[in-house]
């Protein structure tokens, strides 16, 4: 079983702080990695993709990938109450074609 | 531009019945994937289609089937519904080439009673 693990949370951060969300995966050959945001009762929304080791920044979001450690993270700077949602990590394992393997998600709560 | 559309939004069925869910991808996207999401879990991959050909199948029973049409829209069919099939069914659209960014539609909430 090709696992994607996330801490379910809830992770609580004050407004304006940096939220750090973490994800580990078991398939060392995985090549593509994604972060989705899902509000309660809604469908997942793609917020970041990352394919190479290192950091990728997009606005207040930074994705970090370390393939040697099989670890991918998402940083949210200047967190806002509107960022409160479940964040899903998704991985495309080797040999699975284009199927995405999702973690269970981390619930983030940003308090005013 | 319109995003991914799915129909119906909600559906209530009885055990043993059959259901058909529909999806239209983002204009220009040629690949459609289907996922099942139960409460408290991440989406689980069911199928992917590209240019009308099945490109991947997840670990779901044969009661689940799908197809893609020439206009790239897709249907997911589930036969002999079980209570455990109650879930949010998500369709994801992707270009089919290049990166694997997948964009989800609003989903169909299926309740089996």
């Amino acid at each position: 079983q090709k696992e994607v693990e996330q801490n379910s949370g809830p992770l609580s951060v004050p407004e304006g702080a940096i939220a750090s969300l973490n994800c580990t995966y078991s398939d060392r050959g995985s090549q593509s990695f994604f972060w989705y945001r899902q509000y309660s009762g809604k469908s997942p929304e793609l917020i970041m993709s990352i394919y190479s080791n290192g950091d990728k920044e997009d606005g207040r979001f930074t994705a970090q990938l370390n393939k040697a450690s099989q670890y991918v993270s998402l940083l949210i700077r200047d967190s806002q109450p509107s960022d409160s949602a479940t964040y899903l990590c998704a991985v495309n394992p080797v040999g699975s074609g284009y199927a995405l393997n999702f973690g269970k998600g981390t619930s983030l709560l940003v308090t005013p | 531009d319109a995003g991914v559309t799915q129909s119906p939004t909600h559906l209530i069925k009885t055990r043993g019945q059959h259901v058909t869910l529909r999806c239209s991808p983002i204009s220009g996207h040629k690949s459609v994937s289907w996922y099942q999401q139960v409460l408290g879990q991440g989406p689980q991959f069911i199928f992917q289609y590209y240019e009308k050909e099945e490109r991947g199948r997840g670990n779901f029973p044969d009661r689940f089937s799908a197809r893609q049409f020439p206009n790239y829209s897709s249907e997911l069919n589930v036969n002999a519904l079980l209570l455990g099939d109650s879930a949010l069914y998500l369709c994801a659209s992707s270009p089919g080439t290049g990166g694997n960014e997948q964009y989800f539609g609003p989903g169909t909430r299926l309740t089996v009673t």
Side-chain angles (χ1 to χ4, degrees), chain A residues 55-102:
Chain A
D55 294 359
K56 179 182 178 182
E57 186 175 319
D58 184 0
R60 295 187 297 113
F61 299 99
T62 298
Q64 299 175 318
L65 176 61
N66 184 326
K67 290 186 179 180
S69 300
Q70 296 174 236
Y71 176 94
V72 58
S73 65
L74 179 71
L75 301 178
I76 306 175
R77 289 181 300 281
D78 188 24
S79 295
Q80 301 297 310
S82 58
D83 294 326
S84 298
T86 296
Y87 289 80
L88 297 161
C89 173
V91 175
N92 180 216
V94 164
S96 69
Y98 289 81
L100 295 182
N101 225 14
F102 283 83

Side-chain angles (χ1 to χ4, degrees), chain B residues 17-79:
Chain B
Q17 287 188 317
H18 162 272
V19 68
T20 297
L21 310 180
R22 296 179 173 84
C23 170
S24 291
I26 293 168
S27 177
H29 284 192
K30 298 182 178 180
S31 182
V32 168
S33 301
W34 289 95
Y35 291 82
Q36 180 196 66
Q37 187 178 25
V38 298
L39 199 61
Q41 302 291 318
Q44 188 172 1
F45 174 72
I46 309 175
F47 288 109
Q48 188 180 60
Y49 279 78
Y50 174 67
E51 293 276 19
K52 296 170 288 180
E53 297 292 326
E54 182 183 300
R55 197 158 70 168
R57 173 186 287 255
N59 187 24
F60 279 80
D62 291 344
R63 299 185 295 108
F64 289 76
S65 63
R67 55 179 175 168
Q68 187 178 32
F69 299 100
N71 66 352
Y72 303 111
S73 67
S74 177
E75 280 183 356
L76 175 69
N77 293 282
V78 186
N79 292 324

